[in-house]
Amino acid sequence: MNKCIYLLFYKTSLKPYQPRCLNFLRACSQIVDTLRRYSDKPAIILGIETSCDDTGCGIVDITGKILGEAIHSQHAIHRIHGGIIPTLASQFHRENITTVCENALKSANLRLRDIDAIATTTKPGLPNSLNIGNTFGKYLSRIGNKPYIPIHHMEAHALTVRMIQKVDFPYLVLLLSGGHSLLAIVDSVDKFYTLGTTTDNAVGEILDKIARRLKLVNIPEFLHMSGGQAIESAACRATDPKKFEFPSIITRKRDCQFSFAGVWTKSIKYIASQEKEFEIDTNKLIPDAYNLCASLQWAIAKHICLRLQRAMEFIDKMNLIPHEKRTLVISGGVACNDFFAKAFEIVCSEKGFQLVRTPHRLCNDNGVMIAWNGAERWIANVGVIRDRNKIEAVTIENKVPLGENWIEKVRAANIKCKVVKLKALMTC
């Protein structure tokens, strides 16, 4: 319909009245969109994700059905450089975003006119990468005359599971990725309370760095894996998973803050020591590489579980979530690690929480999770921008917290935990 109206506009002798006619045509288009919103057909949201190094586009309807998706991964490119290069990331976003979105629409057998709103990651992330997505998202919104929904990347990770199964608000979420490590209460689509975050490096970043330092990429089996995946797989080959000792991490601080810099430093010392002792060649692994991976996972699991346990006891003490609804959702790339998930399951069982894992394929950055966050906001009518001037004014934020900061509230509660034992946890 929009196409017919614009053809009428440009093919007839209405040019002298263009400004007035254009306003009329926009009003007609808005009426059409309004009628579609109140029709029986579920609204369809297109989501764009460019917060880091993956260009993703997903299309979902408000019932949670995935209609189409496409992604361009830069993993292989950045692996060569030993980490993400922001300038390269934005360059490849710019080169691929049009094709990715076209492919998503093709896979859904849809055109832009069939979409009800455009959702785009605008925070947090790499500034130039976010700008590419925001600029392109606003462009689609403008040419299609569609509402625009700015999305918080971590909110999208926290809500993705609700697309797959029924998880009622409020619930506890543990987000673990290459850029974030945090615990938060999800109270609604737009209300989040952060209980703890990392004081230094994110857990995924540490796993990637240690995997590179161990030179796991030189093992053909691990060549196409992320650092975290390689460490998990290598740990399964360990003969003595507790051979290396790691000191307890900030156990005296009664909060839910994470710190992973210490395990990085200790791991580097162990690697350097064995390289010197066994005169290891530049491209070879140390003899105890697999045992170190297993010991590392143990240390990280214990640290996260203690913080997780305190968050659960804080929720219990403050009566924040009804007992019958107590759920822990885990998401983010590191949430794909089965060893960590088993550890979290032990804590959940002990503390009376149900563990719900976001499906592996939706844990890593993708356009579907952005589209679904847009769908949640569409349903709740929260953060959906329809005014063209307000849409054009949307900007990106590279650093922004998740919701309200409750870290000091947790500290003030002064909760001493009787640590849940992880003895039943197996290496694989």
Side-chain angles (χ1 to χ4, degrees):
M1 181 172 179
N2 287 347
K3 185 177 180 181
C4 293
I5 292 173
Y6 280 98
L7 282 173
L8 177 67
F9 177 71
Y10 285 109
K11 297 290 185 181
T12 63
S13 57
L14 294 176
K15 286 188 177 181
Y17 307 97
Q18 276 188 2
R20 210 176 294 174
C21 290
L22 188 57
N23 289 335
F24 170 74
L25 295 177
R26 284 175 176 166
C28 289
S29 181
Q30 288 172 358
I31 291 170
V32 171
D33 286 341
T34 301
L35 290 173
R36 288 183 68 188
R37 286 202 302 275
Y38 291 100
S39 69
D40 292 332
K41 181 184 175 183
I44 299 172
I45 313 297
L46 182 148
I48 298 171
E49 158 60 22
T50 62
S51 66
C52 191
D53 62 329
D54 286 334
T55 311
C57 181
I59 303 170
V60 307
D61 67 24
I62 58 173
T63 69
K65 183 179 180 181
I66 300 175
L67 305 177
E69 60 181 308
I71 193 165
H72 176 268
S73 175
Q74 302 177 20
H75 172 70
I77 297 166
H78 293 290
R79 188 182 64 237
I80 296 171
H81 297 279
I84 295 170
I85 309 299
T87 52
L88 282 180
S90 61
Q91 175 188 329
F92 287 115
H93 284 311
R94 186 179 295 104
E95 292 174 358
N96 292 284
I97 192 167
T98 301
T99 301
V100 168
C101 288
E102 286 177 347
N103 289 342
L105 284 165
K106 286 178 184 177
S107 69
N109 196 27
L110 296 172
R111 300 179 72 175
L112 182 58
R113 66 188 179 196
D114 302 311
I115 303 300
D116 290 282
I118 309 296
T120 307
T121 306
T122 59
K123 57 187 176 183
L126 300 175
N128 290 340
S129 293
L130 288 171
N131 266 324
I132 299 298
N134 187 42
T135 300
F136 192 77
K138 290 195 291 187
Y139 165 75
L140 292 183
S141 170
R142 182 170 61 254
I143 65 171
N145 196 27
K146 306 296 180 182
Y148 194 59
I149 312 175
I151 300 296
H152 188 301
H153 181 79
M154 300 312 292
E155 290 181 8
H157 271 306
L159 292 168
T160 302
V161 72
R162 284 169 46 86
M163 183 179 68
I164 306 300
Q165 67 182 88
K166 181 178 173 58
V167 178
D168 294 327
F169 298 122
Y171 58 88
L172 178 64
V173 66
L174 174 62
L175 302 178
L176 302 171
S177 69
H180 303 274
S181 301
L182 60 86
L183 273 163
I185 295 172
V186 184
D187 195 52
S188 67
V189 173
D190 64 335
K191 287 186 179 179
F192 299 79
Y193 307 106
T194 294
L195 306 182
T197 185
T198 181
T199 60
D200 39 59
N201 308 83
V203 61
E205 179 189 354
I206 290 299
L207 290 171
D208 285 342
K209 284 182 174 180
I210 294 174
R212 285 197 298 270
R213 184 63 182 82
L214 277 170
K215 295 165 284 192
L216 292 180
V217 71
N218 293 332
I219 304 297
E221 181 183 341
F222 305 144
L223 180 60
H224 300 292
M225 294 182 180
S226 68
Q229 291 173 323
I231 283 177
E232 182 183 11
S233 184
C236 289
R237 300 181 178 185
T239 55
D240 186 0
K242 294 186 179 180
K243 179 170 183 176
F244 295 92
E245 293 186 4
F246 287 86
S248 298
I249 307 169
I250 54 175
T251 53
R252 293 183 180 180
K253 293 187 177 181
R254 295 180 183 177
D255 56 26
C256 292
Q257 294 289 80
F258 299 107
S259 174
F260 299 102
V263 294
W264 155 251
T265 302
K266 195 69 174 176
S267 296
I268 296 305
K269 287 182 178 179
Y270 282 137
I271 295 169
S273 176
Q274 286 212 344
E275 285 178 337
K276 182 178 180 180
E277 180 182 354
F278 296 100
E279 298 181 349
I280 301 299
D281 181 83
T282 308
N283 297 316
K284 292 183 179 179
L285 274 65
I286 59 173
D288 277 313
Y290 299 154
N291 286 333
L292 179 58
C293 289
S295 299
L296 172 67
Q297 284 197 144
W298 267 101
I300 291 174
K302 287 190 292 184
H303 176 51
I304 296 174
C305 283
L306 177 58
R307 268 51 201 160
L308 178 59
Q309 182 182 342
R310 182 169 285 112
M312 291 175 173
E313 294 190 16
F314 174 76
I315 287 170
D316 185 50
K317 182 176 182 178
M318 307 300 287
N319 196 26
L320 297 171
I321 302 177
H323 282 273
E324 66 276 8
K325 289 187 176 181
R326 292 189 173 174
T327 302
L328 169 68
V329 170
I330 58 174
S331 190
V334 181
C336 295
N337 186 301
D338 290 330
F339 179 81
F340 292 151
K342 290 173 186 175
F344 306 152
E345 180 65 61
I346 292 172
V347 176
C348 284
S349 178
E350 183 76 19
K351 307 307 295 184
F353 275 69
Q354 176 191 3
L355 176 66
V356 178
R357 298 180 71 179
T358 302
H360 283 20
R361 77 180 193 89
L362 296 176
C363 275
N364 293 303
D365 296 349
N366 61 85
V368 169
M369 73 179 196
I370 305 305
W372 174 248
N373 192 215
E376 290 256 36
R377 286 180 168 272
W378 178 275
I379 295 167
N381 195 25
V382 174
V384 181
I385 308 175
R386 294 184 169 86
D387 180 85
R388 177 52 49 195
N389 291 329
K390 291 182 179 178
I391 291 173
E392 293 303 327
V394 173
T395 57
I396 61 98
E397 296 177 76
N398 64 313
K399 292 183 179 180
V400 60
L402 176 63
E404 189 176 332
N405 189 326
W406 277 18
I407 293 172
E408 288 303 324
K409 285 189 177 184
V410 176
R411 287 195 183 115
N414 196 32
I415 297 169
K416 183 178 181 180
C417 296
K418 184 179 179 181
V419 181
V420 173
K421 301 297 182 182
L422 302 177
K423 289 183 179 179
L425 186 61
M426 301 298 290
T427 303
C428 290

